[in-house]
Coordinates of all heavy atoms in Angstrom, one line a residue:
E17 N -4.8 -13.7 12.6 CA -4.0 -14.6 11.6 C -4.0 -13.9 10.3 O -5.1 -13.4 9.8 CB -4.6 -16.0 11.6 CG -4.2 -16.9 12.7 CD -2.7 -17.1 12.8 OE1 -2.1 -17.5 11.8 OE2 -2.1 -16.8 13.9
P18 N -2.9 -13.9 9.5 CA -2.9 -13.2 8.2 C -3.8 -14.0 7.2 O -3.9 -15.2 7.3 CB -1.5 -13.3 7.8 CG -0.9 -14.4 8.7 CD -1.6 -14.4 9.9
A19 N -4.5 -13.2 6.3 CA -5.3 -13.8 5.3 C -4.5 -14.7 4.4 O -3.4 -14.4 4.0 CB -6.0 -12.7 4.5
K20 N -5.1 -15.9 4.1 CA -4.5 -16.8 3.2 C -5.1 -16.5 1.8 O -6.3 -16.3 1.6 CB -4.8 -18.3 3.6 CG -4.0 -18.6 4.9 CD -4.3 -20.1 5.2 CE -3.5 -20.6 6.4 NZ -3.8 -19.8 7.6
F21 N -4.2 -16.6 0.8 CA -4.6 -16.3 -0.6 C -5.0 -17.6 -1.3 O -4.2 -18.5 -1.3 CB -3.6 -15.6 -1.4 CG -3.1 -14.3 -0.8 CD1 -1.9 -13.8 -1.1 CD2 -4.0 -13.5 0.0 CE1 -1.5 -12.5 -0.6 CE2 -3.6 -12.3 0.5 CZ -2.3 -11.8 0.2
Q22 N -6.2 -17.7 -1.8 CA -6.7 -18.9 -2.4 C -7.3 -18.8 -3.7 O -7.7 -19.8 -4.3 CB -7.8 -19.5 -1.4 CG -7.2 -19.8 0.0 CD -8.3 -20.3 1.0 OE1 -9.5 -20.0 0.8 NE2 -7.9 -21.1 2.0
Q23 N -7.3 -17.6 -4.3 CA -7.8 -17.3 -5.6 C -6.7 -17.3 -6.7 O -6.0 -16.3 -6.8 CB -8.6 -16.0 -5.7 CG -9.8 -16.0 -4.7 CD -10.4 -14.6 -4.6 OE1 -10.1 -13.7 -5.4 NE2 -11.2 -14.4 -3.5
G24 N -6.5 -18.4 -7.3 CA -5.4 -18.5 -8.3 C -4.0 -18.2 -7.6 O -3.8 -18.7 -6.5
S25 N -3.2 -17.4 -8.2 CA -1.9 -17.1 -7.7 C -2.0 -16.4 -6.4 O -1.1 -16.4 -5.5 CB -1.1 -16.3 -8.7 OG -1.7 -15.1 -8.9
G26 N -3.1 -15.6 -6.2 CA -3.2 -14.7 -5.1 C -2.9 -13.3 -5.4 O -2.9 -12.4 -4.5
R27 N -2.6 -13.0 -6.7 CA -2.2 -11.6 -7.1 C -3.3 -10.6 -6.7 O -3.1 -9.5 -6.2 CB -1.9 -11.5 -8.5 CG -0.5 -12.0 -8.9 CD -0.2 -11.7 -10.4 NE -0.9 -12.6 -11.3 CZ -1.7 -12.1 -12.3 NH1 -1.8 -10.9 -12.5 NH2 -2.3 -13.0 -13.0
A28 N -4.6 -11.0 -7.1 CA -5.7 -10.1 -6.8 C -5.9 -9.9 -5.3 O -6.1 -8.7 -4.9 CB -7.0 -10.6 -7.4
E29 N -5.8 -10.9 -4.5 CA -5.9 -10.8 -3.1 C -4.8 -10.0 -2.5 O -5.0 -9.1 -1.6 CB -5.9 -12.2 -2.5 CG -7.2 -13.0 -2.8 CD -7.0 -14.5 -2.7 OE1 -6.2 -15.1 -3.4 OE2 -7.6 -15.0 -1.7
L30 N -3.5 -10.1 -3.0 CA -2.4 -9.3 -2.6 C -2.7 -7.9 -2.9 O -2.5 -7.0 -2.0 CB -1.2 -9.8 -3.3 CG 0.1 -9.0 -3.0 CD1 0.5 -9.0 -1.5 CD2 1.3 -9.5 -3.8
A31 N -3.2 -7.6 -4.1 CA -3.4 -6.2 -4.5 C -4.5 -5.6 -3.6 O -4.3 -4.4 -3.1 CB -3.9 -6.2 -5.9
R32 N -5.5 -6.3 -3.2 CA -6.6 -5.8 -2.4 C -6.1 -5.6 -0.9 O -6.5 -4.6 -0.2 CB -7.8 -6.7 -2.4 CG -8.5 -6.7 -3.8 CD -9.8 -7.3 -3.7 NE -10.5 -7.3 -5.0 CZ -10.7 -8.3 -5.9 NH1 -10.2 -9.5 -5.6 NH2 -11.3 -8.1 -7.0
Q33 N -5.2 -6.4 -0.5 CA -4.6 -6.2 0.9 C -3.8 -4.9 0.9 O -3.8 -4.1 1.9 CB -3.8 -7.4 1.3 CG -4.6 -8.6 1.6 CD -5.4 -8.5 2.9 OE1 -5.1 -7.6 3.7 NE2 -6.3 -9.4 3.1
I34 N -3.0 -4.7 -0.2 CA -2.2 -3.5 -0.3 C -3.0 -2.3 -0.3 O -2.7 -1.3 0.3 CB -1.3 -3.6 -1.5 CG1 -0.2 -4.7 -1.3 CG2 -0.6 -2.3 -1.8 CD1 0.6 -4.9 -2.6
T35 N -4.2 -2.3 -1.0 CA -5.0 -1.1 -1.1 C -6.1 -1.0 -0.1 O -6.9 -0.1 -0.2 CB -5.6 -1.1 -2.6 OG1 -6.4 -2.3 -2.7 CG2 -4.6 -1.0 -3.6
D36 N -6.2 -1.9 0.8 CA -7.2 -1.9 1.9 C -7.0 -0.6 2.7 O -5.9 -0.4 3.1 CB -7.1 -3.1 2.7 CG -8.2 -3.2 3.7 OD1 -8.8 -2.2 4.2 OD2 -8.6 -4.4 4.1
P37 N -8.0 0.2 2.9 CA -7.8 1.4 3.7 C -7.4 1.1 5.1 O -6.8 2.0 5.7 CB -9.2 2.0 3.7 CG -9.9 1.6 2.4 CD -9.3 0.1 2.3
A38 N -7.5 -0.1 5.6 CA -7.1 -0.4 6.9 C -5.6 -0.7 6.9 O -4.9 -0.7 8.0 CB -7.8 -1.7 7.4
N39 N -5.0 -0.8 5.8 CA -3.5 -1.0 5.7 C -2.8 0.4 6.0 O -3.1 1.4 5.3 CB -3.1 -1.4 4.3 CG -1.6 -1.6 4.0 OD1 -0.8 -1.2 4.9 ND2 -1.2 -2.1 2.9
P40 N -2.0 0.4 7.1 CA -1.5 1.8 7.5 C -0.4 2.3 6.6 O 0.1 3.4 6.9 CB -1.0 1.4 8.9 CG -0.6 0.0 8.9 CD -1.6 -0.7 7.9
L41 N 0.1 1.5 5.7 CA 1.3 1.9 5.0 C 1.1 2.6 3.6 O 1.7 3.6 3.3 CB 2.2 0.7 4.8 CG 2.9 0.2 6.1 CD1 3.5 -1.2 5.8 CD2 3.9 1.2 6.6
T42 N 0.2 2.0 2.8 CA 0.1 2.3 1.4 C -0.1 3.8 1.1 O 0.6 4.5 0.3 CB -1.0 1.5 0.7 OG1 -0.7 0.1 0.9 CG2 -1.0 1.8 -0.8
A43 N -1.1 4.4 1.8 CA -1.4 5.8 1.5 C -0.3 6.7 2.1 O 0.2 7.7 1.4 CB -2.7 6.2 2.2
R44 N 0.3 6.3 3.2 CA 1.4 7.1 3.8 C 2.6 7.1 2.8 O 3.2 8.1 2.6 CB 1.8 6.5 5.1 CG 1.0 7.0 6.4 CD 1.8 6.5 7.6 NE 1.2 6.8 8.9 CZ 0.8 5.9 9.7 NH1 0.9 4.6 9.5 NH2 0.2 6.3 10.9
V45 N 2.9 6.0 2.3 CA 4.1 5.9 1.4 C 3.9 6.7 0.2 O 4.9 7.5 -0.2 CB 4.3 4.4 1.0 CG1 5.3 4.2 -0.1 CG2 4.8 3.5 2.3
M46 N 2.7 6.7 -0.4 CA 2.6 7.5 -1.6 C 2.5 9.0 -1.4 O 3.1 9.8 -2.1 CB 1.3 7.0 -2.4 CG 1.2 7.6 -3.8 SD 2.7 7.2 -4.8 CE 2.4 8.1 -6.3
V47 N 1.8 9.4 -0.3 CA 1.8 10.8 0.1 C 3.2 11.3 0.3 O 3.5 12.4 -0.1 CB 0.9 11.0 1.3 CG1 1.1 12.3 2.0 CG2 -0.6 10.8 1.0
N48 N 4.0 10.5 1.0 CA 5.4 10.9 1.3 C 6.2 11.1 0.0 O 7.0 12.0 -0.1 CB 6.0 9.8 2.1 CG 7.4 10.3 2.7 OD1 7.5 11.3 3.3 ND2 8.4 9.4 2.5
R49 N 5.9 10.2 -1.0 CA 6.6 10.4 -2.3 C 6.2 11.7 -3.0 O 7.0 12.3 -3.6 CB 6.4 9.1 -3.2 CG 6.9 7.8 -2.6 CD 6.9 6.7 -3.7 NE 7.0 5.4 -3.2 CZ 8.1 4.8 -2.8 NH1 9.3 5.6 -2.9 NH2 8.2 3.6 -2.3
V50 N 4.9 11.9 -3.0 CA 4.4 13.2 -3.6 C 5.0 14.4 -3.0 O 5.4 15.4 -3.6 CB 2.9 13.2 -3.6 CG1 2.4 14.5 -4.1 CG2 2.4 12.0 -4.5
W51 N 5.0 14.4 -1.6 CA 5.6 15.5 -0.9 C 7.1 15.7 -1.3 O 7.5 16.8 -1.5 CB 5.5 15.2 0.6 CG 5.9 16.4 1.5 CD1 7.2 16.8 1.8 CD2 5.1 17.4 2.0 NE1 7.2 17.9 2.5 CE2 5.9 18.4 2.7 CE3 3.7 17.6 2.0 CZ2 5.4 19.5 3.3 CZ3 3.2 18.7 2.7 CH2 4.0 19.6 3.3
D52 N 7.8 14.6 -1.4 CA 9.2 14.7 -1.8 C 9.3 15.3 -3.2 O 10.2 16.2 -3.5 CB 9.8 13.3 -1.9 CG 11.3 13.2 -2.2 OD1 12.0 14.3 -2.0 OD2 11.8 12.2 -2.6
L53 N 8.4 14.9 -4.1 CA 8.4 15.5 -5.5 C 8.3 17.0 -5.5 O 8.9 17.7 -6.2 CB 7.3 14.8 -6.3 CG 7.1 15.3 -7.7 CD1 8.2 15.1 -8.6 CD2 5.8 14.8 -8.2
L54 N 7.4 17.5 -4.7 CA 7.0 18.9 -4.7 C 7.8 19.8 -3.8 O 8.0 21.0 -4.1 CB 5.5 19.0 -4.4 CG 4.5 18.4 -5.3 CD1 3.1 18.6 -4.8 CD2 4.7 19.0 -6.7
F55 N 8.4 19.2 -2.7 CA 9.1 20.0 -1.8 C 10.6 19.7 -1.8 O 11.4 20.4 -1.1 CB 8.6 19.9 -0.4 CG 7.2 20.5 -0.2 CD1 6.1 19.7 -0.5 CD2 7.1 21.8 0.1 CE1 4.8 20.3 -0.4 CE2 5.8 22.4 0.2 CZ 4.7 21.6 0.0
G56 N 11.1 18.7 -2.5 CA 12.5 18.3 -2.6 C 13.0 17.7 -1.4 O 14.2 17.4 -1.3
K57 N 12.1 17.3 -0.5 CA 12.5 16.6 0.8 C 11.3 15.9 1.3 O 10.3 16.6 1.6 CB 13.1 17.7 1.8 CG 13.8 17.1 2.9 CD 14.4 18.3 3.7 CE 15.3 17.8 4.8 NZ 15.9 19.0 5.6
P58 N 11.4 14.6 1.5 CA 10.2 13.9 2.0 C 10.0 14.1 3.5 O 10.9 14.5 4.2 CB 10.5 12.4 1.7 CG 12.0 12.4 1.7 CD 12.5 13.7 1.2

């Protein structure tokens, strides 16, 4: 079941879910952007 945010608005909990190393997307997305910057093609 997805985590429920209960600390204020939930912004901090949202940020930590995004940056959780178990999240399969965040690191991939940024590495892909950096590759695009340096090689002209992601």
Side-chain angles (χ1 to χ4, degrees):
E17 281 298 307
K20 293 182 174 61
F21 301 157
Q22 299 175 332
Q23 301 170 14
S25 64
R27 279 187 290 129
E29 293 159 289
L30 174 62
R32 290 192 177 106
Q33 289 289 345
I34 290 173
T35 60
D36 188 330
N39 178 350
L41 290 169
T42 305
R44 275 192 182 120
V45 168
M46 191 56 184
V47 164
N48 191 53
R49 295 194 196 282
V50 171
W51 187 278
D52 186 21
L53 172 68
L54 296 177
F55 292 91
K57 193 174 186 178

